[in-house]
Amino acid sequence: MNVTVLDRQPDTETQSQLGFVDCDVHPYTKSSADLDPFLSERWREHRRTIGARSRSPFSNAPNYPRMSPGTGMRMDSWPEDGSHPGSDLGLMRAQLLDAFGVAYGMMMPLLGRGGDERNVEFGAALCAAANDWQAAAWCDPEPRLKASVQITTEYTEAAIKEIEKRAGDRRFTQVMIPPRGLEPLGRRRYWPILEACAANGFPIALHLGGTSGHPSTGGGWPSFYHEEHPSYPQSKEALVTSLVIEGVFEHIPSLRVVLVEGGFAWLPSLSWRLDKHYKRLRAEVPHLKQLPSEYIRDHIWVSTQPIEEPERPQDLLATFEWIGWDRIMFSTDYPHWDQDDPRYAIKVPIPEVERQKLFRGNAMAFYGLD
Amino acid sequence: MPRHVVASVDEIAPGTCTIVSVAGREIGVFNVNRAFYALINRCPHEGAPLCRGRILGRFESDHPGEYRLTRQGEMLRCPWHGWEFDIKTGQSWCHPDSVKARTYQVTVVDGETLAKGPFVAETVSVTVERNYIVVEL
Amino acid sequence: MAVPAAGAIDCDIHPALPGTHVLVPFLDEYWRAHVLMRGLDRDDYGLAAVPANAPINVRPDWNPAKANAGTDPDLLRQQALDGFKTRFAICNVLHGAQAILSEDLSAAFCRAINDWVVAEYLDRDPRLRASIVVPMHSAELAAKEIERKAEDERFVQVLVLEMGELPLGRRQHWPIYRAAERHDLPIGIHAGSSFRHPPTNLGWPTYYLEDYVSWSTGFAGVLNSLISEGVFVEFPRLKVVLMESGVTWLPAWMWRANKTWRGIRAEVPWLEKSPADYAREHVRLTVQPFDGPPRADQLQRLLEEIDCDEMLLFATDYPHWHYDGADALPDGLSADLTRKILVDNALKTYPRLSS
């Protein structure tokens, strides 16, 4: 880094104390051995020798290299000791939790990658370890941070066992399901897992990423990260479509879903499209008793990051209104490169009542944090 | 316009940026091939500490598959969302006419001239033997 | 809203092959012998992506009694052309020939389709025009077919499916775009898939309804590819027409594509302007289906967000079922925009229509 800050005058800018709930925070390990205390010797050995094997060409690099080091981290979030952004609780407090007076941060660990692991027993072990690690290394020293139950969707028994193990533990507020599984998430083979989430009082969080082995678009593998990054909304659209059309919400009426880091501007037009074509093809899906848009309104929440940036900022309000002011929850995505700053992310004034819902109220209710 | 002495010229090496605090705002002072420029340390996009970003050249191309690096050391890439800014003008790459980082007039003034005033030197002590970077707000 | 006047240009109708056997007379001697030997004339190469009898693909009053919809040229002329009093209609034959894995066989069938369309449709009605059906998985053979059929000015476009083996912007496809641009032919990209891959990046959905809904999502990937790869930089005169996409997904795509570009521009440094601006210049969309919002003010806002009156092209999408009667346009369009959608935009997009 070729920047020096000469300590001539203290920073006089006041930190705003917002008290918001951050629905997307990414803790990282300092090294891959950080999970070892939570793995059996068999899996420690396996990790050291065979290692992670997902459906992608590289052992440890993403399919699509990012534009900044550390798999796409904001460049000012590297701790002094050079360890990975998000791995230092002190810096996370300084840059996020204390800086903004965050009430709660919902952690979405993107490590271990148990959900992508082809050896499903190893994957289940990694998920359990990641869950133990969240609780011990983050929630216990920092009660503002809440954990997400990691599971692998391709090993049903282990997933259900892990969900049941964490049920009732108030450090865990949701189950984080890998969005890109082998099949769309609404397929029947995943219903036992979704049932277990609802039965144990957990909403599900569908964060982006994962390597299902399917190309990032229905038309094949793109060349560029410039295309991969906007393919995440495409995943979300397919997820919503699958969950709704397969009848998951008809079958599991108490299931609640939050879509994280997929944007949300696509949701109104997808809903219009689903409703329109459902009417023509309803004989194919007689198990649906409501319009798709009604299922969406009842069961789907969205987080705000990466905030949508219409060419006319006021169009953002119309989008929020369509989705529903009670369905939108603020997130930063700290410490990724495309994270949002709560002070500046939303470029259009929001009425105070709606602001409170978006930044705090909706998430407090959704996660049962009151 | 108040003129603030922020550093002596040898404190900011070529190809680097130093962030200084001037009248309550953070300003990044850049040495680009021995000429000095100043940008506010706040990205117009979402308020990131812009001047902590990477100093780069321009990644250009006329043709898919061809690549050209020009004007090395003249571009600043925001440490958050990667928006690229021309250090000399503050213009963003993508919206050069409408999105800019605030720039400040910078001059290099020798100590002897400065000693005659007027200037504001909050914590920089001026000696007549050296040259200084002066930022005008 | 019904089409208000005569003389519209219908940019998407679907004549359908009654069966593979109709192509046999149009195959050359070698391929005729080959196809007959293997009994391929008896195979049904209808696209799985477009089930012939699904309600959405067959409007009941456009359904002939004893055959699949779109297979009767007289009925097509009466219902699509006379029924809407259109001046021109562009035939887009959706057929599995484009999806056949053997490139040479694919090319042979595509050639036969194009010659069949001439004999059965273009020669029978001066209002009809057509897209050149090409073996989309072999750029070299596709370019050859474009060269062969471009001589006939009644071919006004090149047809590919939205989803193939590689995203449409990839350089492997560029011989197609080179040939098309040379002849001032837009690339018509129709909803659907050759199913080299599942239609979603999550894998294979269960229901046709899900596949159908996925076409709009897929077009976002198409535009990301065409633009990111620099197709419109390399081929500055090229236009593409997205057919049967749903339309209303477009503004959300624009916002996200532009946001992405502002941060990741350096990976694709040949882009000189925003993705949305490339789309406004090079991309057109047929208006059928139009996945419209429930309220008129929402439609108005959507059109303002698209911010380009030149993008939309009228289509009946005959014989697919997206509306009843002649109610082929969304309500609430201004007279000026309606005229552009019905006539002006098509004339600008398809230069051959004016010659």
Side-chain angles (χ1 to χ4, degrees):
Chain A
M1 296 289 283
N2 46 15
V3 170
T4 39
V5 180
L6 299 184
D7 192 15
R8 303 205 180 217
Q9 227 181 15
D11 183 2
T12 56
E13 186 179 304
T14 44
Q15 301 288 5
S16 53
Q17 295 293 309
L18 297 171
F20 68 91
V21 178
D22 187 348
C23 297
D24 190 22
V25 179
H26 294 293
Y28 283 89
T29 50
K30 289 190 186 288
S31 89
S32 45
D34 284 13
L35 294 186
D36 281 359
F38 309 105
L39 289 170
S40 66
E41 178 51 31
R42 177 198 173 186
W43 294 121
R44 281 183 228 151
E45 182 64 16
H46 184 93
R47 182 190 71 69
R48 282 192 291 266
T49 54
I50 305 295
R53 290 168 61 251
S54 64
R55 295 171 187 85
S56 76
F58 310 114
S59 292
N60 284 311
N63 280 356
Y64 292 93
R66 304 307 198 245
M67 300 298 284
S68 57
T71 317
M73 299 298 135
R74 67 181 242 199
M75 299 209 43
D76 62 337
S77 64
W78 289 82
E80 287 284 314
D81 63 1
S83 53
H84 200 276
S87 66
D88 185 298
L89 178 55
L91 191 58
M92 186 185 286
R93 282 174 172 145
Q95 290 190 321
L96 178 69
L97 301 175
D98 295 339
F100 298 117
V102 173
Y104 293 100
M106 320 313 287
M107 294 191 290
M108 306 260 173
L110 297 176
L111 48 87
R113 297 275 188 196
D116 294 342
E117 174 57 46
R118 285 200 267 156
N119 180 331
V120 295
E121 288 182 85
F122 182 40
L126 286 171
C127 288
N131 294 333
D132 290 333
W133 171 81
Q134 286 179 81
W138 296 90
C139 300
D140 287 346
E142 177 51 83
R144 287 176 290 184
L145 290 173
K146 293 294 188 185
S148 304
V149 183
Q150 306 276 297
I151 58 167
T152 165
T153 40
E154 303 309 322
Y155 188 1
T156 308
E157 296 80 7
I160 293 176
K161 196 168 151 200
E162 189 65 19
I163 292 165
E164 290 173 348
K165 178 175 175 185
R166 309 296 171 174
D169 182 340
R170 291 196 45 93
R171 294 171 297 182
F172 291 87
T173 55
Q174 62 192 349
V175 175
M176 187 170 162
I177 295 192
R180 286 196 196 173
L182 292 185
E183 299 190 38
L185 186 63
R187 296 264 297 172
R188 281 169 187 272
R189 53 178 293 186
Y190 298 120
W191 287 14
I193 293 175
L194 300 176
E195 285 161 8
C197 293
N200 287 282
F202 284 124
I204 64 173
L206 300 175
H207 192 276
L208 61 82
T211 48
S212 58
H214 301 299
S216 301
T217 79
W221 290 98
S223 302
F224 301 110
Y225 182 52
H226 196 255
E227 301 169 74
E228 168 76 353
H229 197 252
S231 79
Y232 302 137
Q234 295 170 36
S235 297
K236 297 292 198 280
E237 292 176 44
L239 278 166
V240 170
T241 301
S242 179
L243 289 169
V244 168
I245 301 301
E246 291 269 11
V248 168
F249 299 125
E250 196 57 44
H251 182 69
I252 316 172
S254 63
L255 186 66
R256 290 175 299 133
V257 179
V258 60
L259 306 174
V260 184
E261 212 176 319
F264 49 85
W266 48 268
L267 186 54
S269 59
L270 178 71
S271 302
W272 304 332
R273 182 169 174 84
L274 279 164
D275 279 359
K276 180 177 171 106
H277 303 300
Y278 161 71
K279 287 174 188 152
R280 204 68 79 199
L281 291 171
R282 66 198 310 160
E284 194 193 19
V285 287
H287 50 275
L288 298 181
K289 309 289 182 236
Q290 290 179 245
L291 288 176
S293 61
E294 289 167 340
Y295 288 114
I296 290 169
R297 277 265 163 72
D298 290 342
H299 295 273
I300 307 277
W301 278 252
V302 294
S303 67
T304 53
Q305 185 274 345
I307 192 73
E308 302 284 2
E309 294 182 284
E311 289 168 328
R312 299 184 316 182
Q314 64 270 30
D315 288 331
L316 186 63
L317 285 181
T319 303
F320 280 154
E321 268 156 26
W322 195 93
I323 293 172
W325 285 105
D326 58 339
R327 284 286 184 269
I328 307 163
M329 305 192 290
F330 185 78
S331 57
T332 63
D333 188 39
Y334 178 88
H336 290 158
W337 69 273
D338 52 340
Q339 54 113 71
D340 278 333
D341 184 299
R343 295 164 298 174
Y344 302 117
I346 300 177
K347 302 215 182 323
V348 60
I350 302 180
E352 189 53 31
V353 169
E354 282 74 25
R355 256 185 79 78
Q356 281 295 324
K357 286 185 178 177
L358 188 150
F359 276 99
R360 186 186 166 89
N362 293 339
M364 296 293 281
F366 184 84
Y367 292 110
L369 296 169
D370 305 273
Chain B
M1 283 277 151
R3 302 169 76 218
H4 296 256
V5 180
V6 297
S8 64
V9 299
D10 37 280
E11 281 185 280
I12 307 180
T16 70
C17 167
T18 295
I19 295 175
V20 299
S21 207
V22 182
R25 65 198 85 171
E26 284 197 345
I27 293 176
V29 182
F30 294 80
N31 180 337
V32 181
N33 299 320
R34 300 183 196 289
F36 294 92
Y37 302 90
L39 296 174
I40 195 165
N41 186 30
R42 189 174 68 237
C43 184
H45 179 214
E46 270 195 37
L50 178 61
C51 299
R52 292 177 185 266
R54 205 171 275 256
I55 295 172
L56 306 158
R58 285 175 72 89
F59 294 99
E60 296 181 318
S61 168
D62 291 328
H63 220 58
E66 289 171 12
Y67 300 89
R68 189 173 66 240
L69 184 64
T70 63
R71 293 185 56 196
Q72 297 218 41
E74 297 186 19
M75 301 299 289
L76 177 65
R77 189 157 192 270
C78 177
W80 290 7
H81 305 99
W83 288 26
E84 296 155 284
F85 294 86
D86 186 325
I87 293 172
K88 296 182 178 179
T89 63
Q91 287 171 298
S92 66
W93 181 301
C94 291
H95 303 284
D97 298 327
S98 56
V99 178
K100 300 182 200 195
R102 174 91 192 269
T103 58
Y104 297 92
Q105 183 94 292
V106 181
T107 41
V108 173
V109 184
D110 64 274
E112 197 173 322
T113 307
L114 272 183
K116 299 179 189 145
F119 60 88
V120 182
E122 278 137 2
T123 53
V124 179
S125 47
V126 172
T127 63
V128 298
E129 296 81 24
R130 301 167 97 178
N131 293 329
Y132 292 89
I133 300 163
V134 177
V135 173
E136 198 170 306
L137 286 189
Chain C
M1 177 173 104
V3 177
I9 298 169
D10 185 351
C11 297
D12 190 26
I13 64 169
H14 299 294
L17 271 67
T20 312
H21 61 275
V22 306
L23 297 180
V24 171
F26 299 96
L27 294 166
D28 70 24
E29 182 185 59
Y30 178 88
W31 286 104
R32 191 176 317 134
H34 182 95
V35 163
L36 290 174
M37 171 188 69
R38 295 171 71 178
L40 305 184
D41 56 315
R42 285 179 267 174
D43 286 346
D44 176 2
Y45 288 106
L47 283 167
V50 193
N53 295 315
I56 209 168
N57 296 326
V58 190
R59 204 170 101 165
D61 57 330
W62 290 343
N63 195 4
K66 288 186 168 66
N68 283 347
T71 55
D72 183 333
D74 292 326
L75 212 55
L76 178 147
R77 291 161 64 206
Q78 177 200 325
Q79 293 177 328
L81 298 177
D82 300 338
F84 290 87
K85 304 194 194 66
T86 45
R87 182 172 155 203
F88 297 118
I90 302 175
C91 299
N92 294 311
V93 178
L94 298 176
H95 189 265
Q98 293 196 289
I100 287 175
L101 286 151
S102 158
E103 293 175 6
D104 296 335
L105 181 58
S106 172
F109 276 140
C110 288
R111 287 194 295 271
I113 288 175
N114 294 326
D115 292 341
W116 169 83
V117 150
V118 169
E120 293 298 308
Y121 287 88
L122 303 186
D123 281 349
R124 289 204 197 170
D125 195 308
R127 294 170 290 181
L128 290 174
R129 299 290 182 273
S131 299
I132 305 172
V133 174
V134 296
M136 58 183 276
H137 299 95
S138 165
E140 186 193 322
L141 294 176
K144 253 174 136 166
E145 181 61 0
I146 294 169
E147 294 301 333
R148 188 180 79 99
K149 282 329 258 185
E151 284 179 357
D152 185 335
E153 293 273 328
R154 295 171 299 175
F155 283 97
V156 300
Q157 182 167 244
V158 175
L159 179 66
V160 297
L161 293 173
E162 169 192 1
M163 296 180 187
E165 188 141 4
L166 289 171
L168 285 175
R170 298 279 305 248
R171 293 175 196 165
Q172 288 91 330
H173 293 118
W174 287 15
I176 301 177
Y177 306 141
R178 190 162 289 119
E181 191 197 37
R182 183 162 56 242
H183 294 284
D184 286 321
L185 294 165
I187 305 291
I189 305 175
H190 199 281
S193 176
S194 62
F195 284 142
R196 295 290 199 269
H197 306 291
T200 80
N201 58 24
L202 309 184
W204 296 91
T206 302
Y207 297 102
Y208 175 54
L209 173 56
E210 292 176 85
D211 280 9
Y212 194 85
V213 169
S214 82
W215 305 145
S216 63
T217 310
F219 276 112
V222 167
L223 292 187
N224 289 336
S225 178
L226 289 170
I227 290 167
S228 301
E229 298 269 6
V231 167
F232 301 125
V233 177
E234 185 75 8
F235 306 107
R237 289 194 343 267
L238 189 72
K239 285 196 165 47
V240 303
V241 180
L242 311 184
M243 299 187 280
E244 214 171 322
S245 80
V247 182
T248 58
W249 54 272
L250 187 63
W253 170 81
M254 286 175 160
W255 303 348
R256 185 60 191 250
N258 283 3
K259 182 183 173 99
T260 304
W261 171 67
R262 290 185 198 114
I264 308 181
R265 179 215 71 84
E267 195 191 21
V268 286
W270 38 83
L271 295 184
E272 295 164 322
K273 55 192 179 195
S274 75
D277 283 345
Y278 276 110
R280 290 181 176 113
E281 190 179 330
H282 295 273
V283 178
R284 304 293 176 248
L285 298 87
T286 59
V287 297
Q288 223 57 257
F290 193 90
D291 301 329
R295 298 194 327 245
D297 63 298
Q298 290 167 323
L299 172 61
Q300 194 47 45
R301 181 184 293 274
L302 196 114
L303 294 170
E304 288 169 13
E305 288 167 355
I306 292 174
D307 194 24
C308 179
D309 284 353
E310 277 70 50
M311 287 182 94
L312 300 179
L313 301 175
F314 175 66
T316 58
D317 199 24
Y318 177 93
H320 295 169
W321 190 10
H322 300 301
Y323 53 86
D324 292 314
D327 203 17
L329 287 173
D331 290 332
L333 303 177
S334 71
D336 187 59
L337 181 58
T338 301
R339 198 195 64 252
K340 285 183 169 165
I341 291 174
L342 292 180
V343 179
D344 301 346
N345 293 344
L347 290 178
K348 286 196 194 140
T349 304
Y350 300 104
R352 289 181 166 209
L353 291 178
S354 305
S355 54

